Amino acid sequence: TFDRAMTHGVDVSPDGTRLVVSFERSGNPELWVLPSEGGEMLQITTEPTPDWFPRWSPDGQQVAFYSYRSGNRDLRVVPSRGGAARQLTTYEGTDRYPTWAPNGTEIFFESFRLGIGDIWVVSLDTGEQWPLVQSAALDILPVPSPDGQWVVFRSNRSGQNEVWRVPADGGEAEQLTTTGGHQPRWSKDG
């Protein structure tokens, strides 16, 4: 792209052919899809409030993001070709940074509903929400493993930001780094 506009949260589609990005092309962060080798952009959200941190569903048919549309930072899902967005969370505060479970039926996210950042899960089928990781520390930026068995995240439990992991179905978290860590990502092979 050659626009003079801020770009936030680029994500590559599962098949590698498209990018989704929160782009201030019209003066407001909205979601746009474009071919990965460049070309014409398709605007998929048009609300007057900012839309941030888009993430592709595993099948490439939907995009999860967070927005202020309700007055709070809530999670939403929109078809990847555009259309009406479905609101997933309604907490009066901050829910953000959604990432899809590999099976496409759940989304992991960070929430501040209990006073500090924790990792939560929302079911796309039922709308049920539950905490995966709760502690007195700041636990944020969840990313599930490609096989769906683990979720890595950033935490300051040890006094500094480090990368931790927890079983995706819950359990004890374990620290993976000891010299600092910020925004974990999995390799494609896990």
Side-chain angles (χ1 to χ4, degrees):
T1 65
F2 297 95
D3 298 76
R4 294 183 59 117
M6 185 70 102
T7 303
H8 310 269
V10 176
D11 195 31
V12 180
S13 64
D15 66 4
T17 63
R18 297 175 291 165
L19 304 174
V20 63
V21 61
S22 177
F23 194 52
E24 292 183 20
R25 191 176 209 190
S26 63
N28 180 54
E30 295 161 330
L31 303 187
W32 297 76
V33 173
L34 70 151
S36 57
E37 61 276 338
E40 191 169 332
M41 298 175 71
L42 169 69
Q43 186 174 359
I44 63 170
T45 64
T46 58
E47 291 291 319
T49 56
D51 297 330
W52 288 299
F53 203 77
R55 291 293 174 253
W56 289 99
S57 62
D59 65 5
Q61 299 300 307
Q62 300 180 84
V63 174
F65 63 100
Y66 73 92
S67 176
Y68 282 128
R69 293 180 189 188
S70 66
N72 307 304
R73 289 185 182 186
D74 289 313
L75 303 186
R76 296 178 184 273
V77 174
V78 65
S80 63
R81 302 268 182 231
R86 177 171 67 130
Q87 186 170 343
L88 299 178
T89 63
T90 57
Y91 168 67
E92 293 182 9
T94 299
D95 290 337
R96 63 184 184 178
Y97 300 123
T99 55
W100 294 82
N103 64 14
T105 64
E106 297 170 340
I107 292 178
F108 297 91
F109 62 100
E110 68 182 57
S111 180
F112 289 80
R113 60 186 71 191
L114 299 178
I116 194 159
D118 292 311
I119 308 300
W120 282 66
V121 186
V122 59
S123 166
L124 275 81
D125 295 334
T126 66
E128 181 185 0
Q129 301 169 39
W130 62 93
L132 177 68
V133 175
Q134 291 180 284
S135 74
L138 183 65
D139 299 321
I140 59 174
L141 301 169
V143 183
S145 61
D147 66 4
Q149 299 300 304
W150 297 95
V151 175
V152 292
F153 60 97
R154 184 181 95 194
S155 181
N156 62 3
R157 295 171 187 216
S158 64
Q160 68 178 9
N161 290 329
E162 299 288 355
V163 175
W164 290 66
R165 77 174 181 177
V166 64
D169 58 359
E172 279 299 311
E174 68 177 298
Q175 188 172 340
L176 298 180
T177 63
T178 57
T179 57
H182 180 67
Q183 209 165 7
R185 293 290 179 263
W186 290 92
S187 62
K188 288 197 181 289
D189 65 3

